[in-house]
């Protein structure tokens, strides 16, 4: 069985094959295994810190596939930063989506590309159904 890092490296390679080039060095990936109730629907699942070029993934009480999906979303944020560092750094990343149009657009792109590429990766790399 592959390790999480091997799956992550494969996803990063798949991203590159599909137009999401993260450059020569992909973001660092760290894990937050802080205890969280499996019923806490508001617990954060992960985030990208552009100041450290690091993705943090929450792992406690989460299915591996869900953690990978979060990784895919956060990788798009890393790509957004690489694509336009100045633009990414200067917009406010807090508040609600309904009040922050720029945040909404960045999140929309991350959800769309991250989820679609994750689905394509599982279809391309997973067992035939």
């Amino acid at each position: 069985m592959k390790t999480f890092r091997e799956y992550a490296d494969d996803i990063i390679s798949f991203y590159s094959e599909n137009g999401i080039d993260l450059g020569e060095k992909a973001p660092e990936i760290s894990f937050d295994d802080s205890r969280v109730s499996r019923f806490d629907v508001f617990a954060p699942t992960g985030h990208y810190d552009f100041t450290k070029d690091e993705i943090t993934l929450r792992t406690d009480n989460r299915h591996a596939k869900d953690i990978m999906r979060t990784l895919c979303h956060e990788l798009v944020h890393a790509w957004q930063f690489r694509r336009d560092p100045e633009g990414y750094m200067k917009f406010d990343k807090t508040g609600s989506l309904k009040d922050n149009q720029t945040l909404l657009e960045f999140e929309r792109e991350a959800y769309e590309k991250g989820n679609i590429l994750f689905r394509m990766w599982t279809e391309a790399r997973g067992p035939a159904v």
Side-chain angles (χ1 to χ4, degrees):
M1 176 172 290
K2 288 185 176 185
T3 66
F4 180 87
R5 185 71 236 185
E6 289 170 323
Y7 282 123
D9 288 343
D10 191 48
I11 284 175
I12 291 166
S13 174
F14 187 80
Y15 267 47
S16 181
E17 295 165 17
N18 286 277
I20 306 291
D21 185 8
L22 295 166
E24 292 185 25
K25 185 177 181 297
E28 293 295 320
I29 299 171
S30 66
F31 302 96
D32 177 356
D33 62 355
S34 303
R35 303 285 299 159
V36 175
S37 168
R38 75 180 101 206
F39 302 109
D40 183 355
V41 298
F42 299 108
T45 57
H47 68 274
Y48 172 64
D49 181 343
F50 68 90
T51 65
K52 298 178 184 176
D53 197 28
E54 179 180 57
I55 292 171
T56 302
L57 301 170
R58 181 174 296 278
T59 58
D60 188 55
N61 280 318
R62 294 184 67 205
H63 190 281
K65 193 169 187 176
D66 185 43
I67 296 167
M68 297 302 286
R69 187 177 293 109
T70 298
L71 172 64
C72 288
H73 175 95
E74 299 306 331
L75 284 169
V76 174
H77 286 313
W79 173 70
Q80 290 169 333
F81 174 69
R82 283 160 171 75
R83 183 181 66 194
D84 181 12
E86 287 181 26
Y88 193 88
M89 286 189 291
K90 69 180 175 185
F91 82 89
D92 181 14
K93 292 160 198 57
T94 62
S96 69
L97 296 178
K98 73 179 183 69
D99 296 328
N100 186 335
Q101 189 63 37
T102 304
L103 178 62
L104 175 63
E105 292 306 316
F106 275 83
E107 286 299 325
R108 179 176 282 135
E109 182 178 42
Y111 277 100
E112 180 180 309
K113 288 186 182 313
N115 279 296
I116 292 297
L117 284 168
F118 181 65
R119 170 82 182 262
M120 291 170 63
W121 177 79
T122 61
E123 290 174 355
R125 303 294 209 262
V129 285

